Amino acid sequence: MTKHQPLRQYSNEPVLVPHYVSQFKCLGDQCPDTCCSGWNVFVDQATHAAYKQCADPTLARAFELHVMPAEQPSGTHAATIQRDAASGDCPFLIDGWCNVQAKLGEAWLSDVCTNYPRLNVRLGDALFQSMSLSCPEAARLALTQPDAFDFKALPLSIRQSDIRVVPTPWALSHEQMQDVHFFCIQIAKTQGLALWERLVCMGLLCENLRELFANNRFAGLNEVLAGIEALVSSGQVNELCQAMVGSAEVQASFFRALWAAGGSDHSDAVPGDSVPSTEALTQRYQQGLLHLKQVDGAELLLEHAVLNDMLQDLFPFSGADPMHNFLKLISRFGLLRWSLAQLCVAKGNQVKLDDLLLCTQQFYRAFRHNPIFATALHESLHKLGWGTMEKTIPIIKPEFV
């Protein structure tokens, strides 16, 4: 028996999960886009220490060859598993399965490997789990099933090191933060409103919360929540949104620029044009939105992508203030919608939900896991001075031909 197994501490308690998480099973060798390819894998300190003392001679030699100590080691990043130069795969991937887990067991996997695609967040006494949509199977389950975001509490065993703890630097209790988070989730799931209208409601909420956060005084929190709830239940939000003006031109130009900043090789140039004009970009984008609207399941896909982002970031508590977090949310939403519209233009009436699903999964793999681009994306609206609800309407509300 192999000695020096890394010591792990586990949390064993009820975890609040959306329904799709409870259905997830790794596809292994059947996965169309394995997480063991294209990324260097970080190895945590406990796992790295165990690898250096592994008693299996074959794996010990492989660890020595392929696990490189970090230049500035930390508890979560003590070393990196280098990819195979030819295939881009993890060198421990054999026939679609992890050879480390096959020979030594799951306890020998690094935190990154054992946890992905799961994302665990603790807020006070509540533990939440969602999944990264960069995983094809997680994306399929989360984005195509109507009940994917029905929540349940399940007893799960999770490594303590895999749990991100959200602090409360404000004069808010954990219970108040949970109330606001769940309130936002309910807004995002509100039937009878288009998705962009739900985003408007969340933007209004975040804008109204801004002063409370700026002063770090929350005596008016319940009144703010009640005001947004009344706006939705009374139907006034419909009248408000009808008066708002979207701009396909702004959306087409802005999100194309963000896409290019992300280093994508995606081309949305009009045939025969080396550099598409603003008019051509806008026309293509509007056509794509019309095609997208006609694909059965597209609206659900976008709604669930937004919900998953909110869970992953524990919206609106992932940054400096709620409005900042809102800008992060709508910039991701807008860029995803833009990329789906481009796909719809390319495929025309032949586009299917499976095409949109693959595009979304690739979007999250390319951009959500790119920290440099993610920072640029999240800060873009703020830097452009679009930090108020009024100024964000042109990039939220769709505009058709």
Side-chain angles (χ1 to χ4, degrees), residues 28-212:
D29 60 346
Q30 300 301 309
C31 183
D33 188 16
T34 176
C35 54
C36 300
S37 180
W39 291 330
N40 289 329
V41 177
F42 289 171
V43 179
D44 57 274
Q45 189 172 21
T47 305
H48 189 219
Y51 285 175
K52 289 190 292 187
Q53 302 180 65
C54 178
D56 183 295
T58 303
L59 280 176
R61 177 58 178 161
F63 289 145
E64 184 179 343
L65 287 174
H66 302 297
V67 181
M68 302 291 106
E71 292 184 5
Q72 297 180 328
S74 65
T76 57
H77 182 199
T80 302
I81 299 176
Q82 300 295 309
R83 289 177 286 167
D84 180 83
S87 66
D89 292 346
C90 173
F92 298 103
L93 183 68
I94 297 179
D95 295 328
W97 295 98
C98 176
N99 197 37
V100 175
Q101 182 171 355
K103 286 193 171 184
L104 302 179
E106 184 178 333
W108 283 78
L109 295 179
S110 68
D111 287 344
V112 169
C113 292
T114 192
N115 198 44
Y116 182 85
R118 299 165 188 84
L119 302 160
N120 307 298
V121 182
R122 181 185 297 285
L123 178 60
D125 60 358
L127 186 56
F128 305 85
Q129 185 177 97
S130 58
M131 289 189 167
S132 171
L133 301 185
S134 60
C135 167
E137 180 63 1
R140 183 188 70 81
L141 293 170
L143 302 177
T144 63
Q145 300 184 111
D147 63 348
F149 285 86
D150 291 348
F151 289 86
K152 60 180 69 175
L154 297 177
L156 298 177
S157 180
I158 303 173
R159 288 186 189 179
Q160 291 281 10
S161 52
D162 287 335
I163 299 174
R164 178 169 66 91
V165 178
V166 176
T168 174
W170 308 284
L172 274 172
S173 68
H174 285 127
E175 289 75 17
Q176 287 175 307
M177 292 174 71
Q178 291 171 18
D179 288 344
V180 174
H181 176 62
F182 289 131
F183 183 81
C184 291
I185 292 294
Q186 289 306 310
I187 290 178
K189 297 177 70 175
T190 301
Q191 299 301 304
L193 294 177
L195 178 56
W196 73 270
E197 294 174 320
R198 303 175 209 178
L199 289 170
V200 167
C201 292
M202 282 188 279
L204 292 172
L205 170 64
C206 289
E207 195 164 56
N208 278 278
L209 289 175
R210 172 176 273 175
E211 184 177 351
L212 303 185

Side-chain angles (χ1 to χ4, degrees), residues 240-397:
L240 181 65
C241 289
Q242 285 178 10
M244 295 175 175
V245 180
S247 174
E249 179 179 323
V250 171
Q251 293 170 30
S253 300
F254 176 68
F255 289 113
R256 181 182 186 275
L258 284 180
W259 185 271
S264 172
D265 59 1
H266 176 87
S267 174
D268 61 338
V270 176
D273 289 350
S274 57
V275 180
S277 66
T278 300
E279 181 181 359
L281 285 173
T282 303
Q283 184 178 15
R284 281 171 57 83
Y285 176 61
Q286 289 175 313
Q287 291 173 349
L289 287 180
L290 286 172
H291 283 304
L292 181 62
K293 188 177 182 180
Q294 294 165 3
V295 179
D296 187 31
E299 183 74 9
L300 181 71
L301 181 149
L302 280 166
E303 174 190 322
H304 283 190
V306 168
L307 277 166
N308 208 68
D309 277 347
M310 293 172 66
L311 283 175
Q312 183 171 338
D313 291 338
L314 208 67
F315 183 86
F317 299 113
S318 58
D321 69 80
M323 198 62 192
H324 178 83
N325 298 329
F326 176 69
L327 296 180
K328 290 165 60 177
L329 184 67
I330 62 170
S331 59
R332 281 196 301 267
F333 160 75
L335 185 58
L336 175 59
R337 183 176 62 180
W338 180 89
S339 63
L340 294 176
Q342 301 308 308
L343 175 67
C344 288
V345 169
K347 287 186 170 289
N349 294 328
Q350 301 303 312
V351 69
K352 305 295 183 186
L353 181 60
D354 284 346
D355 300 318
L356 303 184
L357 184 61
L358 176 60
C359 180
T360 303
Q361 181 261 325
Q362 290 295 308
F363 168 86
Y364 278 95
R365 176 150 186 163
F367 294 123
R368 184 75 175 185
H369 294 277
N370 181 338
I372 296 176
F373 176 73
T375 299
L377 174 61
H378 297 164
E379 299 296 332
S380 56
L381 298 179
H382 182 73
K383 289 180 178 179
L384 287 170
W386 294 353
T388 65
M389 191 61 228
E390 180 183 2
K391 292 184 177 181
T392 60
I393 296 303
I395 66 165
I396 299 177
K397 185 173 182 177

